[in-house]
Structures are given as C-alpha cells and as structure tokens.
Amino acid sequence: MKKYRKLIVFATVLMLLLATLTGCGTDGTDDDGNGGDGATRIGIVLPTKDEPRWVQDETRFNEALADTDYSVEILFSQGSSASEKANVESLLTKGIDVLIICPHDGDAAAAAAEAAAAEGVTVISYDRLITGTDAVDYYVTFDSIAVGAAQGQYLVDSAEGEGNPLYLYAGASSDNNAFLFFEGAWSVLQPKIADGTFVIKNSSEAVALQDKAELTRDEMGRIISQVTTNWDFNEAKNKAESHLTAAAAADKGDVYILAPNDGTARSIADVFASDNDVTSYVVTGQDAEKASVQYIIDGKQSMTVFKDVRTLVKDSIEMAISVLEGNTPQTTGSYNNNVTDVPAKQTEVIVVDQDNLKAALIDSGYYEASEFTGLE
Ligand code: BGC
C-alpha cells in the first residue's frame, strides 16, 4: 500500500514537471499559449539569429501569429544542422502537426524533415528548399531566380561602354537559393560579359565559363565555391580584401559588384569604399535589411531586392492552418529538390534603390520613416 502511495506521489510530481517543461520556451521561443488545447501545433525553425534577415522573419511571424488560435513555437538553429535536428526533435516531442522550417543546409536538413514526416507531421520548407528527400510536403518561397536576375540587371543598367571591372560574389553552396540567385544573375550578366561590357576580375572559374550562356549546377558550383561568402559578413570582407589586394589599379576604377545579399553587400561595399584605386562602385543586395536601407539612403549600397517577409509569413501560416483544418493548401507551381517535385507557393520581389525606397518600404508600412536618418 505504502509502495503504491509512493508511486502515485512520484507520478504526480513527474506530471507536474512535464507540464512545466512543455510550458517553457527555449532560446527564441514564442511559447505564447495561444488558444487551442495547449499543445504546440505549429513548430517553426529558422536558421540563425546572427543575420537581421531571420530576426525580421521572427518578428513578422510573431506579429502575424498574435491572433491565431493555434499555439506556435519558434526556434533558431544558429547555423548548425545538429541544433536544427535537435530543434525539430524537441518540437516533435511537443506534438506539433506542422513544421515550418528554413534549413541551414538544404541537404543536411533532409534528416530532420524525415524525422518529422515519420511522425505524420506536415513539413513546409520556408524560403530555402530542403533537398534530397521526399519528406517535404510544401515550399513557400520568393522567386529566387528573379532576385538574381534583378541584381544582374541593375549592374547592366548602370554600366556604360566596355571593359567595366566586374567582381562576383555568391551565397553558401549548402543553400539551394545561392544557386538560384547565381543562375538568375548569370542569365543577365553573361551576354554582357560576352560582348565586352564587363570583365570578370575575381574568379578564374567564371572566366573559364564566360562563354556559356547556361551553366550546369556543377559549373555554377565551381564558380560559387570560389566566390562564396558562405552568407558570412567576415568571410565576405576577407574575400573582398584579398581580391582587391590581388588586383592591379587598372582592375579597379569604376567597378561593378554582384553581392548576393545585404549583409555581405555592406561588408564588401566597406572594403571597396576604402580602396584608393576604386573611384566608384555599384553594388547589389537583397532583403531590404534596415542597415542596408540606411546604406542606400547614404549612397553606400546601390540597390536591394525587397522580399516582403510579411507575405511569406502569411502564406506559410495559411498553409499550416489549411493543413490543420484538414484541407489541401493552395500552391502555384513546384520546385524539384533532386528527389521530388515539391508543390510551391511563390512570391514576387521588388527592386529598391534611392528612387523608390520611400514608396516601396515606408509608404507600404514595412518600416517607419523614423527608423532612418536622411530620408526626405
Ligand atoms: C535567403 C536570403 C538570405 C540568405 C542568407 C537565403 O537563402 O533567401 O534572403 O539573405 O539566405 O541568410
């Protein structure tokens, strides 16, 4: 009898402990206990807090989820596939039904997606595609080829005459988007390299392939591995520094720089701005990060590609809710992830420079004018 009583006390303590634990968030958690039966229904995993882009996504998710009836938890993987897998496993133990995940490394995340699928969880790949597995149900994304094409087109439209020095940079090769951005940019830049408008200055692999209008993934991989920033500000800075150290004064002057996103654009721009032989530079970006919007106002970054995260967040939440309600989410196309065609919903992007910055980013309510200085 005594034994049983002990057992009951132990079980009660255990239950209380579990209840407390499941009510606790870990780093970056939005354990808001919104409505529902208390169980976490939607789990969201984002790649890192170290880039403003993903903190922006977290903010927009929190804004959009404020009124939802479903409880949601957001976790960050801090650039580690192992943490990403652990995050997914932790969400699975909380009983999620839908996983919205932006992978740190597209291939490596296949294991996490498969673990989720094995438990009957619907997997939505967010912004970056999880590759090499059929365990991805949906993909919510921007038009990444259009992002790269817009960057390339901006450089083309800014250049006059022949022999303009071109410096190429790319994202991380573990990110499928880095290939899509590069593919888009190359489609626009290559004809202008072939006709002599631009001369590539920092990639022997790109020079070797400069007569090819369309590159295979392997060929793109060769160029990307030479000019990758790995989405890392410091790596971007170090690469730009070593490129400018290696370049002769004649390879500088008025230069054109394909920078893959805002974070790396700012690092690269700072390096080019401080080189005495660089007279002017045009540099691309993407994400409309606050710091880059200020750089554009100040004339230190030429453009950004605005990807309205509010739309991506809205689309992925609508998709998740549709799944939770037993419906089939609406999609607009599909992306092949090397194993299967993943049904996808795609959002368009907007090119922003000094001319339309106010209309695109302030008047649209994305940012407040008071967040910037020197805005007219
Ligand atoms: C995203 C970009 C982001 C980059 C680095 C890409 O997959 O689409 O918006 O700047 O990753 O995090």
Side-chain angles (χ1 to χ4, degrees), residues 47-48 51 53-54 102 127-128 142 144 175 177-178 181 231 260-263 286-287 289 307:
T48 178
E51 292 175 43
R53 158 71 215 265
W54 306 112
C102 179
D127 193 290
R128 299 177 179 168
F142 292 103
S144 296
D175 177 4
N177 284 348
F181 301 144
W231 296 133
N261 74 345
D262 282 352
Q286 74 166 298
D287 293 336
E289 284 181 2
K307 311 202 301 190

Side-chain angles (χ1 to χ4, degrees), residues 3-335:
K3 223 176 176 184
Y4 280 122
R5 215 176 293 142
K6 260 190 183 167
L7 213 68
I8 291 165
V9 172
F10 177 72
T12 317
V13 169
L14 199 73
M15 267 161 65
L16 281 173
L17 199 71
L18 276 175
T20 322
L21 276 178
T22 45
C24 278
T26 46
D27 174 40
T29 298
D30 173 29
D31 198 13
D32 52 19
N34 280 334
D37 53 8
T40 307
R41 306 291 306 276
I42 305 173
I44 301 174
V45 178
L46 295 173
T48 178
K49 273 196 167 186
D50 295 340
E51 292 175 43
R53 158 71 215 265
W54 306 112
V55 179
Q56 167 86 238
D57 290 63
E58 180 195 30
T59 308
R60 302 298 182 182
F61 266 118
N62 284 332
E63 282 168 6
L65 288 165
D67 302 325
T68 182
D69 285 337
Y70 295 104
S71 84
V72 181
E73 181 165 339
I74 304 177
L75 298 174
F76 281 89
S77 310
Q78 293 312 101
S80 151
S81 297
S83 306
E84 184 174 79
K85 180 99 191 307
N87 280 341
V88 170
E89 273 155 9
S90 131
L91 291 167
L92 292 177
T93 61
K94 294 183 180 177
I96 56 163
D97 298 301
V98 180
L99 173 68
I100 299 174
I101 173 170
C102 179
H104 161 62
D105 174 316
D107 275 337
E114 281 158 14
E119 306 235 346
V121 169
T122 299
V123 178
I124 302 175
S125 210
Y126 179 84
D127 193 290
R128 299 177 179 168
L129 186 57
I130 296 176
T131 40
T133 178
D134 62 3
V136 192
D137 297 285
Y138 299 102
Y139 182 32
V140 181
T141 184
F142 292 103
D143 183 345
S144 296
I145 293 190
V147 171
Q151 294 172 332
Q153 193 60 49
Y154 200 88
L155 297 180
V156 169
D157 292 344
S158 311
E160 278 174 17
E162 292 205 333
N164 297 290
L166 177 64
Y167 290 80
L168 302 171
Y169 295 92
S173 38
S174 56
D175 177 4
N176 187 56
N177 284 348
F179 287 81
L180 302 176
F181 301 144
F182 195 83
E183 182 183 336
W186 187 260
S187 71
V188 176
L189 289 173
Q190 189 277 335
K192 293 292 176 184
I193 297 165
D195 78 3
T197 305
F198 291 117
V199 182
I200 302 166
K201 296 295 180 186
N202 68 332
S203 167
S204 55
E205 296 287 359
V207 169
L209 292 160
Q210 65 186 8
D211 293 329
K212 279 198 82 180
E214 273 178 39
L215 302 178
T216 63
R217 191 160 170 114
D218 261 18
E219 289 167 339
M220 273 192 280
R222 293 215 287 273
I223 303 174
I224 291 173
S225 70
Q226 205 171 39
V227 299
T228 183
T229 58
N230 262 321
W231 296 133
D232 181 277
F233 312 152
N234 284 320
E235 195 161 334
K237 176 174 179 280
N238 294 339
K239 257 195 185 150
E241 278 171 354
S242 63
H243 291 154
L244 286 184
T245 306
D251 296 329
K252 301 180 187 176
D254 298 317
V255 305
Y256 296 81
I257 310 160
L258 177 74
N261 74 345
D262 282 352
T264 58
R266 294 194 299 278
S267 299
I268 295 167
D270 289 347
V271 173
F272 276 77
S274 62
D275 188 302
N276 287 335
D277 294 322
V278 172
T279 357
S280 75
Y281 63 86
V282 178
V283 65
T284 62
Q286 74 166 298
D287 293 336
E289 284 181 2
K290 250 185 239 175
S292 278
V293 174
Q294 188 62 58
Y295 259 48
I296 294 174
I297 296 169
D298 297 341
K300 299 200 288 189
Q301 183 177 322
S302 316
M303 62 87 82
T304 187
V305 181
F306 173 36
K307 311 202 301 190
D308 194 332
V309 170
R310 292 172 302 187
T311 313
L312 208 61
V313 160
K314 184 171 158 284
D315 284 349
S316 54
I317 293 174
E318 274 174 13
M319 223 176 226
I321 290 176
S322 155
V323 169
L324 289 174
E325 290 175 352
N327 302 321
T328 305
Q330 279 189 344
T331 50
T332 51
S334 69
Y335 273 75

